[in-house]
Amino acid sequence: MSAAQYPAVSVIMPVLNEERHLRNSVRHILEQEYAGEMEVVIALGPSVDRTDEIAAELVREDSRVHTVANPTGRTPAALNAAIKASRHPIVVRVDGHGMLSPNYIATAVRLLEETGAQNVGGIMHAEGENAWEDAVAAAMTSKIGVGNAAFHTGGQAGPAETVYLGVFRREALERADGYNVEFIRAQDWELNFRIREAGGLVWFSPELKVQYRPRPSVRALAKQYKDYGRWRHVVARYHSGSINLRYLAPPTAVCAIAAGIVVGAAVTPWAFVVPAGYVAAIVAGSLPAGKGLSLKARAQIPVALATMHMSWGYGFLTSPRSLAKRVIASRRPSVREQTV
């Protein structure tokens, strides 16, 4: 196949305070093993580090790189701005701390053709750069950490509710009118829901892999997972059929542990069996997850697991109903409804 036969690709990147990884992330895009035309559109939020400076350097260094402003700093608004500023028929979403595997785009384009899907995506392959990040990466790729989520732990190729990031046909994005800007988190799930609701196919494949850099501290990881839980409850209220046992496990654990501590302190010490049992379970579960890591990293896996579980569960339990009402009010009709 000649270069002219490969569809042109637009890579869109929402970035905010990404000075640590932006240059490397863009390098992984520009060095893709793909013969077709490519552009990179970086949507710049109001960063307080050197992100804008690095982005300007990248624009000067390579004519394929462009930037667009995202004054709100919100991810869905950034994605919509980048989509609008881009021009090619295939749209690849990449985050500022994501590193594409060398043949990611070529493989995704092939899968779009083979499956007829509107969106394809693969594995969020967490990799750390120090002991703490290695511990978080191990937790994020283990079933005790994230359940059976295929885009974290891998699995067989096939139709999916949602995928990590995504490689889209532009026509699908345009029919869906882009991302819903009310979804500060979970915007991927919401968009993929509308694509599927309209009859489109969302496809997961383990052939697609993106290296992901975990949050660099306990505090940052806790905020990330609290937001995940908060917005997953919004999704559950937005679409009642989307909840499953995997999503209920963290809030159940938070309630059980809190009850165990209170009852243990006020009534009987036997109730401390519940939090003690949880600690024993995550310590035991961290052993296979930490295989091959340094002793320092292995020792921190239980901390990462507990931070993820407790923060996600707390966020889910405290997610305000008013937030869900606002988001539900903004719901866009599916493409099928629009064309009736």
Side-chain angles (χ1 to χ4, degrees):
M1 183 182 287
S2 67
Q5 292 175 297
Y6 286 86
V9 169
S10 295
V11 181
I12 59 172
M13 300 182 68
V15 300
L16 180 69
N17 297 323
E18 290 287 359
E19 69 173 1
R20 182 180 173 193
H21 300 300
L22 180 58
R23 177 171 287 278
N24 198 22
S25 182
V26 172
R27 179 180 64 80
H28 277 76
I29 297 167
L30 298 177
E31 294 178 358
Q32 284 287 295
E33 297 169 1
Y34 186 69
E37 184 179 353
M38 185 191 306
E39 66 174 352
V40 181
V41 181
I42 304 172
L44 296 171
S47 297
V48 296
D49 60 8
R50 294 184 59 251
T51 296
D52 287 12
E53 181 182 338
I54 293 169
E57 292 171 357
L58 292 167
V59 170
R60 290 194 296 269
E61 293 165 7
D62 196 304
S63 61
R64 293 174 292 177
V65 181
H66 314 281
T67 60
V68 63
N70 172 36
T72 69
R74 293 183 170 187
T75 298
L79 291 165
N80 286 343
I83 291 168
K84 185 176 181 180
S86 65
R87 54 196 175 91
H88 294 321
I90 304 298
V91 178
V92 181
R93 175 181 172 176
V94 180
D95 285 341
H97 46 272
M99 313 294 163
L100 300 185
S101 52
N103 63 347
Y104 181 89
I105 291 177
T107 302
V109 170
R110 171 176 60 80
L111 289 170
L112 284 172
E113 180 63 27
E114 290 177 355
T115 64
Q118 301 300 304
N119 181 23
V120 298
I123 295 174
M124 177 182 177
H125 184 64
E127 289 187 357
E129 296 181 323
N130 54 49
W132 165 251
E133 291 179 3
D134 285 342
V136 176
M140 292 180 69
T141 54
S142 67
K143 289 191 176 182
I144 192 173
V146 295
N148 61 351
F151 67 84
H152 281 297
T153 61
Q156 294 186 338
E161 283 190 356
T162 191
V163 291
Y164 180 54
L165 301 179
V167 178
F168 301 84
R169 299 179 190 271
R170 177 176 292 276
E171 62 215 34
L173 291 172
E174 291 178 343
R175 281 200 300 268
D177 197 23
Y179 291 83
N180 186 332
V181 296
E182 293 293 338
F183 275 81
I184 309 306
R185 296 287 185 272
Q187 66 275 155
D188 295 315
W189 185 94
E190 193 277 335
L191 174 61
N192 285 311
F193 169 73
R194 285 188 285 120
I195 289 174
R196 291 185 293 105
E197 191 180 41
L201 175 64
V202 177
W203 187 266
F204 166 82
S205 173
E207 292 183 75
L208 298 172
K209 184 180 290 187
V210 181
Q211 291 181 2
Y212 169 86
R213 299 300 186 219
R215 294 298 193 270
S217 67
V218 172
R219 182 176 181 180
L221 182 67
K223 183 181 185 306
Q224 178 188 20
Y225 271 78
K226 185 191 76 174
D227 287 346
Y228 282 171
R230 175 187 176 99
W231 282 91
R232 196 60 188 77
H233 204 164
V234 172
V235 167
R237 287 166 169 158
Y238 175 87
H239 179 54
S240 59
S242 69
I243 202 67
N244 61 42
L245 292 178
R246 177 166 66 89
Y247 298 127
L248 295 177
T252 300
V254 169
C255 291
I257 291 169
I261 292 172
V262 171
V263 174
V267 181
T268 172
W270 284 104
F272 287 119
V273 169
V274 176
Y278 171 77
V279 171
I282 61 173
V283 169
S286 71
L287 297 178
K291 187 177 180 180
L293 297 182
S294 68
L295 180 61
K296 185 176 181 181
R298 293 200 302 271
Q300 295 182 83
I301 293 174
V303 178
L305 287 169
T307 301
M308 290 162 56
H309 294 161
M310 296 298 101
S311 300
W312 203 103
Y314 176 79
F316 188 94
L317 291 168
T318 59
S319 181
R321 188 173 293 275
S322 59
L323 177 60
K325 287 181 179 179
R326 187 176 79 241
V327 170
I328 291 169
S330 74
R331 179 174 175 177
R332 302 173 184 182
S334 71
V335 177
R336 182 177 293 158
E337 292 169 340
Q338 292 174 357
T339 56
V340 170

